[in-house]
Amino acid sequence: MSDCLFCKMVAGEITPEVVYETDLVLAFRDINPRAPTHILLIPKKHIPTLADMTDEDTQLMGELMQAAKTVAEKEDLADSGYRTVFNCKQDAGQEVYHIHMHLLGGRRLQWPPG
Ligand code: 5GP
Ligand code: ZN
């Protein structure tokens, strides 16, 4: 998708601060961090929202979760803990319509979210 911000990162047209990458997944620091560690994990494939995921994407999204676990370990969050979030569409405040998992940690997080 040529007009998608995160597809531009996958294509190398925009270079975020990448913390982890596989053939299928990219993880990079959020430009506006909401916690001491705030990383976004995306599939390189353009899927707009969680609601657009299909059976074909099951393995891919599993790899995304494995990547989150790996990144959390690399960021030294595995013991203290962290939160993973998918914002889906307007009521959740999704701004970028390329599916992404937020990984937040490094401080005590409130629950429930606002
Ligand atoms: P959403 O609200 O869609 O769940 O989250 C989108 C996230 O993308 C936000 O946390 C926002 O700060 C982040 N973001 C938006 N533009 C950029 C950018 O150009 N670079 C990076 N690294 N993050 C971005
Ligand atoms: Zn995209």
Side-chain angles (χ1 to χ4, degrees):
M1 283 264 301
S2 56
D3 60 345
C4 168
L5 176 68
F6 290 172
C7 282
K8 284 181 180 157
M9 292 180 182
V10 172
E13 291 166 30
I14 297 173
T15 41
E17 189 184 339
V18 172
V19 295
Y20 182 71
E21 183 171 13
T22 70
D23 286 348
L24 300 177
V25 167
L26 188 66
F28 53 89
R29 293 196 193 282
D30 196 293
I31 203 168
N32 183 21
R34 304 295 184 162
T37 302
H38 186 174
I39 289 163
L40 302 175
L41 296 105
I42 65 170
K44 292 184 176 178
K45 175 184 176 183
H46 181 84
I47 304 168
T49 80
L50 193 61
D52 300 298
M53 183 186 161
T54 68
D55 289 350
E56 260 182 31
D57 302 318
T58 301
Q59 195 171 342
L60 174 62
M61 295 306 286
E63 180 160 328
L64 193 81
M65 299 205 65
Q66 288 284 4
K69 177 190 163 186
T70 301
V71 169
E73 287 167 356
K74 284 162 71 82
E75 295 288 320
D76 205 21
L77 295 174
D79 288 339
S80 53
Y82 51 92
R83 182 169 295 157
T84 56
V85 175
F86 288 96
N87 290 323
C88 184
K89 299 189 178 175
Q90 59 268 24
D91 274 2
Q94 185 176 359
E95 289 173 0
V96 179
Y97 276 68
H98 178 130
I99 195 169
H100 50 280
M101 181 196 283
H102 295 258
L103 189 159
L104 299 139
R107 67 169 170 83
R108 193 65 186 253
L109 300 163
Q110 301 299 312
W111 189 262

